[in-house]
């Protein structure tokens, strides 16, 4: 089942709409509630990878936490229309720090 | 009887010669100070005597005189509301006579010989009576009707019996036995403390002793006529648990034995009990209580006797058909007294210096508890529930006294220093404690409390067990590693701990919780857990489920008065409406 996992995109309308062209399920959202509900809906449909714009991801941090340990669903933050805010990198850094006990991804 | 002579004095132990006439456990009077002692070993004409009073100043050559009686207690009206020392000397009367500190050799009758009681016969002339038959009643206190029974070993036909206003030593009835001997009966009888009082038949208990303490009644109930132990390190609240049981359990009579503990703990009892009211009769709690005090500064040998004195008084009231609860605080101090005497007797020590017969002595005490069909013609049933505190040094229950106790008792309320440190009281550790009466009592709970009560208890216990597993994970990898469902389980477990198990003994309302209220509280918490999980399934966020406003009301539900139990329905309605609101807002 994991081999033909479907993909989806959630977040800022202008950033995620393009994914529709690739045949993904796209739900544009702007509030925390909308994002939470969108994630829940996609998860229910059995979608395995969801791209989410950084701003919305940050807003709906709690909802992201919910799926953090879900091995059937990966949520990948992507930059919004205004470019990256560094949020995604922050999450990676945190995870690396947790795994290794030290930060090895220095800024420079 | 021949007079003996002291040959050796070692603290509370005295060896006397020329004692060949005496028997084991005879009471003796030692020296011309007339100190009370008891023979605990006989070897040739040498007798080892434990003396229940301070032996300073005694020397070899002083006389010892056997009384020929065994160590006995006086049983009759006047026991209730009294405070006795370990060998049933009335402390109030002693204070009136000699002041605050007991002087040596004081001889005071255990029961007041002057006071008059109104005796009302329930049998009449010509009735055939047996040992244990009730011949009349005396209103001992406002809560207790004292039943005067035919003493053991006497049976026959009542020759005379009269309603009277008499003292406990005046004859109120005469019984003629088969041989034509006339036995005068008084309101008082004597019984040797080391022998259990006889009964017809022991029956197995099937209803609980309701204590009003949530963790006990719901999770680890003790049967009426059961035995329980409360081990715990110091400061963990053994005494408070014992006091709470003495105050609120639904027994008719309470015998509280303060055995080798601090004096101020007895003072607490003396101060508080008269102020508190029995929820059943509305009378002061003191009106159903007998206190036996052998505090840590009183002679050690009397401590050994205090437990037996207590249980014999308890048996006497049991024989009247009452439900008696006896609290012994603490049996460890009692075992230490045994150890001290055993050491002085130069017996071969067992584990940790305790005598080899420690466990049989402990068993002897607890085995005198139980529910029985009493002697007599009316088939009345009485019960003794025994609850012993154990103070294992360092809180390590692998020591001999705790182990000997745990082998016998069926309920174990393990107090934990960690919970006490976290200010969780009563600090009864829910993962460690157990009650072997649960199966036997489950029918009673489903018939008398709620049909779903046993299921609710099981569910709540599962949640608490799950919590300890999850806590392990959290300690290793952090709370983030838990799924929302597990995090909600932890929240519910926290509610069970903080809102249900935690009970404030010093709050007027929280100190006692009826079973009905306990069931309602537990139902609310479990309902919240169930509905919360459903909401999560429907897509709700954890924070909205956790922060639902009704939780505060659930948390405060322990302060709902017993007469306002309808409020639980209100909270339940509020809970359902708030959870439905979450579903509508979050669900898809």
């Amino acid at each position: 089942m994991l081999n033909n996992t479907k993909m989806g995109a959630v977040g800022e309308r202008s950033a995620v709409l393009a994914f529709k062209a690739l045949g993904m399920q796209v739900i544009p959202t702007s509030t925390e509630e909308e994002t939470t509900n969108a994630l829940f809906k996609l998860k229910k449909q059995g979608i395995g990878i969801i791209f989410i714009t950084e701003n919305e991801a940050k807003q709906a941090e709690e909802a992201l936490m919910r799926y953090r340990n879900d091995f059937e669903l990966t949520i990948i933050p992507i930059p919004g229309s205004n470019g990256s805010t560094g949020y995604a990198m922050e999450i990676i850094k945190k995870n690396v720090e947790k795994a290794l006990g030290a930060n090895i991804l220095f800024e420079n | 009887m021949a007079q003996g002579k002291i040959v050796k004095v070692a603290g509370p132990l005295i060896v006397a010669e020329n004692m060949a006439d005496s028997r084991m456990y005879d009471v003796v009077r030692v020296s011309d100070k007339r100190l009370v002692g008891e023979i605990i070993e006989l070897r040739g004409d040498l007798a080892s005597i434990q003396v229940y009073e301070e032996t300073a100043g005694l020397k070899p050559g002083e006389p010892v005189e056997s009384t020929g009686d065994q160590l006995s207690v006086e049983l009759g009206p006047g026991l209730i509301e009294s405070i006795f020392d370990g060998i049933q000397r009335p402390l109030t009367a002693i204070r009136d006579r000699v002041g605050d500190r007991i002087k040596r050799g004081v001889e005071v009758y255990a029961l007041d010989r002057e006071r008059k009681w109104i005796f009302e016969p329930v049998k009449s002339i010509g009735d055939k009576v047996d040992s244990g038959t009730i011949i009349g009643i005396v209103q001992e206190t406002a809560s207790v009707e004292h039943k005067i029974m035919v003493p053991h070993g006497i049976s026959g036909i009542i020759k005379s019996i009269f309603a009277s206003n008499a003292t406990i030593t005046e004859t109120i009835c005469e019984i003629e036995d088969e041989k034509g001997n006339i036995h005068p009966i008084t309101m008082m009888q004597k019984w040797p403390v080391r022998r259990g009082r006889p009964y017809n038949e022991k029956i197995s208990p099937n209803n609980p002793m309701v204590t009003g303490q949530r963790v006990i009644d719901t999770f680890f109930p003790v049967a009426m006529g059961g035995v329980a132990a409360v081990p715990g390190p110091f400061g963990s609240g053994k005494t408070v648990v014992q006091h709470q049981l003495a105050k609120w359990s639904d027994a008719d009579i309470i015998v509280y034995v303060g055995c080798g503990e601090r004096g101020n703990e007895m003072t607490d009892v003396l101060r508080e009990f008269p102020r508190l009211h029995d929820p059943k009769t509305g009378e002061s709690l003191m009106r159903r209580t007998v206190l036996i005090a052998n505090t840590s500064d009183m002679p050690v040998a009397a401590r050994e006797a205090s437990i037996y004195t207590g249980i014999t008084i308890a048996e006497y009231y049991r024989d009247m058909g009452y439900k008696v609860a006896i609290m012994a605080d603490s049996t460890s101090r009692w075992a230490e007294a045994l150890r001290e005497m055993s050491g002085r007797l130069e017996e071969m020590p067992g584990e940790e210096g305790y005598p080899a017969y420690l466990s049989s002595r402990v068993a002897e005490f607890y085995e005198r508890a139980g529910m029985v069909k009493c002697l007599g013609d009316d088939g009345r049933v009485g019960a003794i529930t025994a609850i012993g505190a154990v103070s294992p040094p360092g809180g390590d229950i692998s020591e001999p006294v705790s182990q000997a106790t745990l082998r016998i008792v069926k309920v174990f309320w393990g107090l934990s220093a960690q919970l006490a440190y976290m200010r969780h009281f009563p600090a009864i550790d829910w993962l460690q404690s157990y009650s072997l009466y649960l199966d036997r009592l489950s029918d009673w709970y489903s018939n008398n409390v709620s049909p779903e009560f046993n299921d609710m208890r099981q569910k709540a216990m599962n949640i608490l067990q799950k919590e300890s597993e999850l806590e392990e994970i959290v300690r290793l990898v952090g709370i983030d590693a838990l799924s929302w469902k597990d995090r909600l389980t932890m929240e519910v477990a926290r509610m069970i701990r903080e809102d249900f198990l935690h009970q404030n003994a010093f709050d007027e309302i929280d100190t006692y919780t009826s079973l009905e209220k306990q069931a309602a509280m537990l139902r609310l918490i479990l309902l919240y857990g169930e509905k919360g999980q459903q909401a999560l399934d429907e897509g709700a966020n954890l924070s909205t489920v956790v922060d639902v406003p009704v939780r505060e009301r659930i948390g405060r539900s322990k302060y709902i008065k017993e007469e306002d139990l309808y409020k639980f329905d209100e909270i339940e309605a509020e809970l359902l409406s708030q959870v439905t609101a979450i579903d509508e807002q979050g669900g898809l």
Side-chain angles (χ1 to χ4, degrees), chain A residues 16-60:
Chain A
V16 296
L17 225 50
F19 289 101
K20 204 146 199 168
L22 300 171
M24 291 190 197
Q25 269 269 27
V26 171
I27 306 177
T29 63
S30 57
T31 66
E32 185 197 341
E33 201 185 322
E34 280 173 9
T35 313
T36 308
N37 288 347
L39 289 175
F40 186 71
K41 190 173 171 186
L42 293 180
K43 163 72 190 163
K44 252 192 159 174
Q45 289 173 6
I47 294 213
I49 298 170
I50 300 173
F51 295 101
I52 181 166
T53 50
E54 277 182 343
N55 280 338
E56 278 62 34
K58 200 168 182 177
Q59 252 180 13

Side-chain angles (χ1 to χ4, degrees), chain A:
Chain A
M1 192 195 97
L2 285 172
N3 287 338
N4 35 32
T5 300
K6 285 189 198 152
M7 300 204 280
V10 172
E12 204 182 317
R13 175 174 280 272
S14 51
V16 296
L17 225 50
F19 289 101
K20 204 146 199 168
L22 300 171
M24 291 190 197
Q25 269 269 27
V26 171
I27 306 177
T29 63
S30 57
T31 66
E32 185 197 341
E33 201 185 322
E34 280 173 9
T35 313
T36 308
N37 288 347
L39 289 175
F40 186 71
K41 190 173 171 186
L42 293 180
K43 163 72 190 163
K44 252 192 159 174
Q45 289 173 6
I47 294 213
I49 298 170
I50 300 173
F51 295 101
I52 181 166
T53 50
E54 277 182 343
N55 280 338
E56 278 62 34
K58 200 168 182 177
Q59 252 180 13
E61 208 169 2
E62 198 189 341
L64 260 70
M65 293 270 285
R66 174 177 208 167
Y67 305 109
R68 184 170 284 177
N69 296 313
D70 189 335
F71 70 96
E72 286 180 347
L73 174 63
T74 310
I75 300 177
I76 303 168
I78 53 170
S81 55
N82 297 329
S84 173
T85 60
Y87 177 67
M89 201 58 198
E90 232 171 75
I91 296 180
I92 293 175
K93 264 189 197 162
K94 262 189 206 157
N95 282 339
V96 168
E97 211 173 305
K98 205 181 231 173
L100 301 177
N103 180 16
I104 53 164
L105 302 171
F106 300 106
E107 283 298 303
N108 302 311

Side-chain angles (χ1 to χ4, degrees), chain B residues 163-176:
Chain B
S164 52
N165 192 3
T167 65
I168 50 172
T169 46
E170 286 173 52
T171 305
I172 37 116
C173 168
E174 284 175 320
I175 294 174
E176 183 180 0

Side-chain angles (χ1 to χ4, degrees), chain B residues 26 36 107 157 184 221-222 234 263 266 311 387 423 477 490 583 587:
Chain B
D26 274 357
V36 185
E107 280 184 69
I157 311 275
V222 57
F234 42 69
M266 283 323 276
I311 194 103
I387 297 145
R423 293 278 165 272
V477 284
M490 289 197 69
D583 282 351

Side-chain angles (χ1 to χ4, degrees), chain B residues 424-552:
Chain B
H424 178 103
F425 289 108
I428 295 178
D429 187 329
W430 47 89
L431 296 175
Q432 210 187 22
S433 306
Y434 59 81
S435 164
L436 298 182
Y437 293 112
L438 275 180
D439 283 345
R440 188 173 296 170
L441 298 177
S442 64
D443 281 349
W444 189 92
Y445 276 102
S446 20
N447 296 335
N448 294 282
V449 187
S450 148
E452 53 190 334
F453 193 81
N454 295 307
D455 286 342
M456 291 200 304
R457 173 201 297 134
Q458 194 52 52
K459 269 187 206 155
M461 194 35 91
N462 290 347
I463 292 174
L464 288 171
Q465 275 163 357
K466 180 93 184 165
E467 185 199 26
S468 84
E469 281 167 31
L470 293 175
E471 249 167 11
E472 208 108 299
I473 298 176
V474 170
R475 227 172 288 142
L476 283 174
V477 284
I479 188 101
D480 291 351
L482 295 185
S483 71
W484 278 11
K485 288 202 144 196
D486 287 343
R487 282 175 70 173
L488 185 67
T489 306
M490 289 197 69
E491 281 296 322
V492 177
R494 201 169 64 124
M495 285 170 80
I496 298 177
R497 279 191 287 117
E498 291 177 3
D499 304 340
F500 187 79
L501 295 179
H502 184 276
Q503 189 167 4
N504 186 352
F506 302 103
D507 182 274
E508 205 180 313
I509 298 168
D510 198 24
T511 185
Y512 175 85
T513 310
S514 67
L515 279 175
E516 202 185 348
K517 184 172 157 190
Q518 295 186 25
M521 288 173 73
L522 199 56
R523 184 180 301 121
L524 269 187
I525 295 172
L526 292 175
L527 186 72
Y528 166 77
E530 208 176 288
K531 293 289 167 192
Q533 297 286 11
Q534 268 174 26
L536 286 186
D537 284 342
E538 302 285 329
N541 262 348
L542 181 67
S543 57
T544 36
V545 175
V546 170
D547 297 338
V548 57
V550 74
R551 266 191 71 183
E552 204 216 321

